[in-house]
Structure formats: C-alpha cells, structure tokens
Amino acid sequence: MKEIRLMKGNEAIAEAAIRCGVDAYFGYPITPQSEVMETLMDLRPWESTGMEVLQAESEVASINMVYGGAACGKKVMTSSSSPGISLMQEGLTYLAGAELPCLVVNVVRGGPGLGTIQPAQSDYFQAVKGGGHGDYKLIVLAPASVQEMADFVELAFDLAFKYRNPAMILSDGMIGQMMEKVELKAFKPRWTNDEIAQMHPWATTGKPKNRKRNIITSVELDPLKFEAFNIKLQAKYKAIEEAEVRYEKIMCDDAEYLFVAYGSSARICRKAVEILREKGIKAGLLRPITLFPFPSNQLKELQPQLKGILAVELSMGQMVEDVRLSVDSKLKVEHFGRAGGAIFSPEEVAEALEAKIIGG
Amino acid sequence: MSVDVKEIIRPENIVYKKSSALTDNPMHYCPGCTHGVVNRLLAEVIEELGIQEDTIGVTPVGCAVLLYNYIDIDWQEAAHGRAPALGTAIKRVRPDKYVFTYQGDGDLAAIGTAETIHTCNRGENIVMVFINNGIYGMTGGQMAPTTLEGMKTATCPYGRDPKRDGMPLKITEIVAGLPGASYVTRQAAHTANAVRKLKKALIKAFKNQEAGKGTSFIEVVATCNSGWKLTPVDANKWMEEHMFPYYPLGDIKDE
Ligand SMILES: Cc1ncc(C[n+]2csc(CCOP(=O)(O)OP(=O)(O)O)c2C)c(N)n1
Ligand code: SF4
C-alpha cells in the first residue's frame, strides 16, 4: 500500500532505510544531515524491524563499524556531511579494497575546512574520483528531490550488493533540508542470517565445517597478486560503467545549448531552461543521476546538435572536467558555479548561459 | 638407565598437541615472538570451547596483520586501530556469534585509542586481546605509547624522554576505570605457568561474552625480541626486569 507523506530529505533517507530492510546505521552528528540519525532514533526501528542504530564516537569509528557489519553480509549504512566524509575516507578505501557493499550518504556543505553549514556540491571530486588512497571508485547517486532521497536508498543497496562495492548518495544541504511530498514503499523484511549465508557466501557469518574460512581483507603483500586484484577491480568499474549509467534528459531533443547539472543545481537549471525557451533559445538539461558512472556517452551522442554546454554546479568547477572529457574539445564547455554555501537563481543561471556560451 | 625415545612418544603420553583450530600455515613471526604463543592459545581456547563455527575474529595492523592465516575461523582484517569499531558492529549485527579483536600497542593504544576507550565504555560484549610489547614491531621498532621510560627505539634513539614523549601509557588501567569493561586483566606468556594463566583468562573472557557481561580486556605483556634487539631468552629476562614492574601482572577488575 502506498503511503504519501510530507518530509525532509534527511527524514526520507531514514524512513526509506527502515522500510527497505537495512540492518544497521552507524553515524556521528553533523549539520546539515543530523536528522537522519535523529529520525532513526525517534522511530526506534530496533523494536519494529530489528535494525540497529548506534551513535559512534566519530566518523572514523562509524565507517569502520560499517565495515564490520557489511563484512557480515548485512545491509549497513552511515550518513554524514563533508568534514565527516573526509574522515571516512580511510574506511571507504578499505571497504572498496575488501569489496564490501554499503551505503554512505553525504549531505554536502560548503568547504574547504570547517566551512559552512549551507549547501554545496564541492565534494564531487572526492566522491567520484576515489577520495581515499588507491585506485578505486564508489557508485555515486545524485538525488534531485526528496522522493529520490528515499528511492535511492534501496537502489544504492541493490547496486552495492550487485557489484560488492560501496555506494554513495551524494546529496547536499538543500535537498537534505527541504520538505516535499514523498511516496513511501511498503516495508520489506530484513534478510535472515540463513539468507545472507546463501546469497553472500563471502560474508563472515561463522565458518561452518563445510566451507573454508572467510577472510575479509584488503591486504596482499605479493605485488603481482595485488596488481591482479587491482586489474580485477578496474574490470568491475568498467562493467558498472557499461550497465549502470542513469540520467534524465529535459528538452534535449532539439536543444542547441545544454546545461549539465545534478542534484539541487539540476532543479535550478530546469527552471533556467524554461526561462531561455521563453526567449526562443533552444536550451536543454542533461541531469546525471549516477555521477560514477558518468553519462559520458549520452553527452557524446548529443554533441553533434550542440553549440555549447554550461556545466552548472555549486562548486568552483569539478564536474565540468568530466563534461569536458566526455565531448570533443572543439565543443565549447564552460563552467558556472557558486561556492561556500551561496546558491544561484534560475535567472542567474540563464544569464550565465547567454553570457558564457552564446555571447562568449 | 637408557630411555627409549619411542617408549615416550606414544599417543597416551601426549601432553600438548597442535590445536585442531590451527591451520597448517607456517607462522611469519620472528622466532621467539610472543604473538605466536598467543595465537596458538586462542586456537586452543576456541577449539576447547567448541565455538569454532561461531567465532568471528578481527585482526589488526602490525605484526599480527596476517593472524587470520593461522586460526580456522571467519576473520575480518581492520584498518590500523579500528578493530574495536569492527568488533562493535559485528557483535551488534550478529549477537549470536563470539567476537574478539587482537591488537598491538601501536594499534590499540595510539591510533586506535578513541575506538578502544569508547568500545569498552559502551561495554560492547566482545573480547579484546592486547599485545603490549612496548614497540612498533612491524614498522621496524619505533616508539609506542607503551615504550618504557629510557627505552631506546628507532624514533627515540637516546631513550624515551617523558618530558618530550610523556610517560608510558597504562591504557589497561584506563580501560579498567570504564564501567563497560567487566573483566580486565594483565597476563604474560613467557613461562609455562604464565601461559596456563593466560589461557584461563582467555577462557573466562569468552565465557563472559556468552554470559553477556560486556567487554573483557586481556593485556599480554609481550616481547619483541627483534625490535628490542635481544635474543628471545634475553628479551624474556628484560621483560621480567623492566616491563613487569611498570606493567604488573594480574587481574585489575573482575565483575
Ligand atoms: C593509518 C596507518 N598508519 C600507519 C601505518 C603503519 N604501521 C603499520 S604497523 C604499525 C605499528 C604497529 O605496532 P603495534 O600495534 O605495536 O604492533 P606490533 O607490530 O608491535 O605487533 C604502523 C605504525 C598503517 N599501516 N596505517
Ligand atoms: S618484529 Fe617483534 S613483534 Fe613482530 S614478529 Fe618480530 S618479534 Fe614479533
């Protein structure tokens, strides 16, 4: 039975987590995402579904708790915001190295440093290019609505378990804090321990006599074996790039000028497209939903009809690099962004396209 | 009277044998290192308690990084210092399993101090084994939080100076002050008698976990003969003379 509620993005994450059978949440408070844990603590899911919720002593501890639980084959998640996610980078590279599925939600705020508690998109590089040490990738989903905040929890876990890889929801303070109508899914039961042992034979569930011991680790001292492992990881990322690209095209069929924007920026660009269309300018928007894998081929396909692209993001220019890498260097690609918690208006974005792409 | 060796080596005369929970992998530790003895004891305890199928171990960074190769159970390898965080989560999502962590002094008392203290403070129902050899063995003998005053290491070549480096950290006493830790003991493994006592402590710790008593914390004052640049025998002597007075053996808390 479908249930419709008005809720904050952060609350939607918590509610969706309980409903899709998450086993544990480990986190540490930081604005603008603290409502995720606050909501969970308020809803007491350990009484209804058995989901465990624990406030850890730090983000370093939370992500390593995620590691411990994920290695048991459980659906485990955490959420934080930029400075906290920086602390989690150690755990994230270990999770990627041990090929463990999990969900990390980053409700981004402005940086660098302690920065601001206002929304930003300046953690793009950290999210999609690795972030921690070593050659690894996270699967990164970028919601643009409270509905997607809810929906992507389950999607992130599906992808994480399919590829045995950590997944991240890269949101921002605007979507985390805004209230919208959300359609909530029905409750799904958590996996039983027997189901986990069946479905995830790699998990540390206690070693029965009939199987070899399971060792969850990312250490391998033999360089050739570790190189082979790295090559295997890269093949996995390639498979993800081939099968899991998700995006939305708005007014792209006849577009001559294209915005590329994700998350809250995409919401603003959608309005900017309308403003430009009213003026007779054929503008469109490509909204990446997955940031890794990035919709590079979709951009490439649009290129012949385009006169220019404006990458719009709440940063000083990060995603724009992936846009440039996706298209021929002859096509004009410019960046428009604001930083430090400042946000652009649709008018400002429309003007930027006219000035930087059409006029420039 | 001449003794026929064959008369002695008979199944009914066996006092110690290899634990069935130990794998056949040769250990990588330096000869004379305490790690090997404690690894074997853990295997014996797991075998004797009959909990091999229900135990999940967490290994550290440091010389015991490959400990998972030696005991035939499921394992998770943690980042430097984070074993207690993994242990916390494992026990919480699988309360039906026995969970233990194994860490050196660099791991448990330096980089992982916060995880150690908060895990014990929450009283996570796990066993924590802490090997205190007063040095960073794996990385080539640098100073540890537990390095004794005046003791020379690669990063305090003129001896640990408390004015600069602080006094050696008695983290076990700190842990004992936390309400969540129910059993806190300091043991060693340098003599047959010490090994027997340590084994008893380990058994008690696992039984405490079964009884849901909270964190059991077992420090093992240990040698690192390579890092200390002593023969195994001299290392044991040095430990008795220098480590035991500062890190006295015995139960600190048993509730
Ligand atoms: C984040 C991080 N910092 C540093 C290291 C390097 N490192 C590996 S082992 C070790 C010290 C281990 O010492 P201890 O825990 O006392 O164990 P021992 O080797 O003496 O058994 C260090 C500093 C690391 N692996 N990871
Ligand atoms: S370096 Fe020290 S702690 Fe490490 S194996 Fe050798 S003796 Fe043991």
Side-chain angles (χ1 to χ4, degrees):
Chain A
M1 197 191 71
K2 78 177 172 190
E3 201 180 326
I4 293 178
R5 286 217 220 135
L6 180 70
M7 54 200 325
K8 272 190 177 187
N10 290 335
E11 293 166 351
I13 293 262
E15 183 71 45
I18 300 170
R19 285 171 182 254
C20 80
V22 171
D23 294 295
Y25 172 97
F26 302 103
Y28 188 82
I30 182 171
T31 311
Q33 64 78 49
S34 295
E35 295 88 352
V36 179
M37 199 195 320
E38 287 169 8
T39 305
L40 287 170
M41 289 295 189
D42 191 44
L43 293 173
R44 304 170 72 79
W46 49 92
E47 286 174 358
S48 50
T49 71
M51 178 184 179
E52 176 73 26
V53 189
L54 180 66
Q55 178 167 339
E57 61 270 31
S58 69
E59 289 85 352
V60 176
S62 332
I63 193 70
N64 282 284
M65 288 174 186
V66 169
Y67 182 111
C72 295
K74 299 278 179 173
K75 278 190 190 173
V76 187
M77 67 180 288
T78 185
S79 65
S80 188
S81 179
S82 310
I85 297 289
S86 290
L87 279 178
M88 289 184 186
Q89 294 307 320
E90 175 197 58
L92 278 169
T93 154
Y94 276 75
L95 279 151
E99 295 198 89
L100 292 177
C102 69
L103 168 60
V104 176
V105 180
N106 184 1
V107 183
V108 181
R109 64 190 232 180
L114 195 50
T116 169
I117 57 170
Q118 307 301 329
Q121 294 180 314
S122 42
D123 296 356
Y124 178 91
F125 281 153
Q126 192 190 47
V128 308
K129 308 286 182 193
H133 62 282
D135 280 321
Y136 76 91
K137 301 273 191 194
L138 307 176
I139 297 166
V140 184
L141 299 169
S145 63
V146 177
Q147 182 68 55
E148 285 188 340
M149 288 285 256
D151 293 346
F152 287 3
V153 172
E154 190 172 5
L155 174 61
F157 275 112
D158 287 348
L159 293 172
F161 275 94
K162 182 171 173 191
Y163 294 98
R164 280 189 63 184
N165 204 69
M168 177 178 275
I169 292 181
L170 189 72
S171 181
D172 64 61
M174 191 151 97
I175 295 167
Q177 294 294 328
M178 72 164 65
M179 290 190 93
E180 277 186 330
K181 190 180 79 171
V182 193
E183 189 180 318
L184 294 167
K185 293 205 177 132
F187 286 88
K188 274 190 175 175
R190 287 164 56 229
W191 291 326
T192 64
N193 291 332
D194 287 341
E195 282 170 337
I196 289 172
Q198 283 259 316
M199 290 186 298
H200 315 307
W202 47 265
T204 53
T205 49
K207 187 201 101 74
K209 287 198 176 64
N210 60 3
R211 76 150 159 79
K212 279 171 67 177
R213 65 188 185 283
N214 282 339
I215 301 170
I216 302 291
T217 181
S218 61
V219 66
E220 173 54 70
L221 299 176
D222 178 336
L224 292 183
K225 280 195 192 153
F226 204 48
E227 184 183 48
F229 172 71
N230 265 283
I231 290 167
K232 191 189 114 189
L233 274 188
Q234 294 306 313
K236 172 165 87 177
Y237 303 144
K238 189 105 193 101
I240 295 172
E241 283 181 309
E242 271 157 23
E244 306 299 346
V245 172
R246 286 168 170 77
Y247 59 92
E248 187 187 8
K249 276 182 178 169
I250 295 143
M251 313 280 279
C252 279
D253 288 349
D254 64 342
E256 293 176 352
Y257 300 99
L258 191 70
F259 290 115
V260 180
Y262 67 94
S264 52
S265 293
R267 294 174 72 107
I268 297 166
C269 285
R270 191 186 276 261
K271 185 79 191 160
V273 168
E274 281 172 30
I275 293 170
L276 290 167
R277 287 266 169 183
E278 270 166 31
K279 287 175 127 184
I281 298 168
K282 287 183 177 169
L285 165 66
L286 186 119
R287 173 171 82 97
I289 291 173
T290 49
L291 297 177
F292 178 81
F294 193 73
S296 291
N297 289 336
Q298 288 67 30
L299 268 172
K300 228 175 252 138
E301 279 160 21
L302 283 174
Q303 176 174 328
Q305 75 190 60
L306 295 179
K307 293 180 178 159
I309 301 179
L310 190 66
V312 180
E313 44 183 334
L314 292 169
S315 85
M316 298 311 279
Q318 299 192 14
M319 179 198 65
V320 62
E321 293 192 5
D322 284 334
V323 176
R324 287 208 174 101
L325 287 171
S326 303
V327 297
D328 198 305
S329 59
K330 277 176 231 144
L331 184 68
K332 185 165 193 176
V333 178
E334 293 290 340
H335 170 260
F336 178 69
R338 303 216 36 197
I343 296 174
F344 30 63
S345 66
E347 292 75 18
E348 221 181 320
V349 172
E351 272 167 33
L353 186 128
E354 286 189 89
K356 292 188 164 209
I357 302 292
I358 302 176
Chain B
M1 191 181 80
S2 72
V3 180
D4 184 356
V5 177
K6 283 199 195 106
E7 282 297 299
I8 299 171
I9 309 174
R10 289 156 76 168
E12 59 269 30
N13 288 341
I14 288 177
V15 180
Y16 284 116
K17 61 176 197 293
K18 182 172 153 274
S19 163
S20 69
L22 269 184
T23 65
D24 287 331
N25 292 326
M27 286 184 180
H28 68 287
Y29 304 112
C30 309
C33 175
T34 314
H35 274 306
V37 181
V38 184
N39 289 190
R40 195 199 72 187
L41 277 183
L42 274 166
E44 281 179 14
V45 167
I46 288 167
E47 182 198 356
E48 284 167 30
L49 293 176
I51 57 174
Q52 203 173 345
E53 295 184 27
D54 287 312
T55 302
I56 300 171
V58 186
T59 63
V61 161
C63 281
V65 67
L66 300 177
L67 158 58
Y68 52 69
N69 283 331
Y70 310 136
I71 306 178
D72 193 16
I73 54 168
D74 276 359
W75 286 102
Q76 295 186 20
E77 161 61 31
H80 196 21
R82 316 296 174 221
L86 272 66
T88 294
I90 300 167
K91 189 69 189 182
R92 281 174 183 255
V93 301
R94 289 306 301 257
D96 54 328
K97 299 288 160 192
Y98 293 84
V99 179
F100 73 95
T101 57
Y102 184 100
Q103 299 174 270
D105 40 75
D107 206 69
L108 181 140
I111 193 168
T113 320
E115 285 81 358
T116 300
I117 289 185
H118 288 281
T119 297
C120 295
N121 189 51
R122 287 189 301 264
E124 298 296 343
N125 191 27
I126 62 173
V127 175
M128 292 179 68
V129 180
F130 166 38
I131 308 297
N132 178 10
N133 55 19
I135 206 162
Y136 289 7
M138 171 173 254
T139 41
Q142 295 87 3
M143 183 177 65
T146 52
T147 297
L148 293 178
E149 193 178 347
M151 184 175 164
K152 290 179 180 163
T153 74
T155 51
C156 51
Y158 304 103
R160 180 185 186 131
D161 175 1
K163 280 207 212 84
R164 190 188 48 224
D165 308 317
M167 285 294 285
L169 182 64
K170 293 187 179 181
I171 188 130
T172 304
E173 274 77 359
I174 296 175
V175 163
L178 304 170
S182 65
Y183 176 47
V184 181
T185 186
R186 186 182 280 125
Q187 302 290 333
H190 61 309
T191 62
N193 193 26
V195 165
R196 272 194 293 272
K197 280 192 186 158
L198 173 56
K199 187 165 170 180
K200 262 195 184 158
L202 286 167
I203 289 172
K204 181 177 194 145
F206 278 95
K207 290 203 165 150
N208 279 353
Q209 184 170 162
E210 192 173 284
K213 283 192 166 185
T215 317
S216 294
F217 190 94
I218 301 178
E219 172 178 340
V220 184
V221 183
T223 60
C224 169
N225 42 288
S226 294
W228 295 1
K229 301 187 171 45
L230 294 171
T231 65
V233 173
D234 287 347
N236 275 341
K237 256 192 235 146
W238 196 90
M239 174 174 71
E240 285 178 69
E241 280 168 25
H242 297 91
M243 297 279 277
F244 290 173
Y246 194 77
Y247 300 114
L249 304 189
D251 287 354
I252 302 174
K253 188 178 186 183
D254 185 5
E255 285 173 351

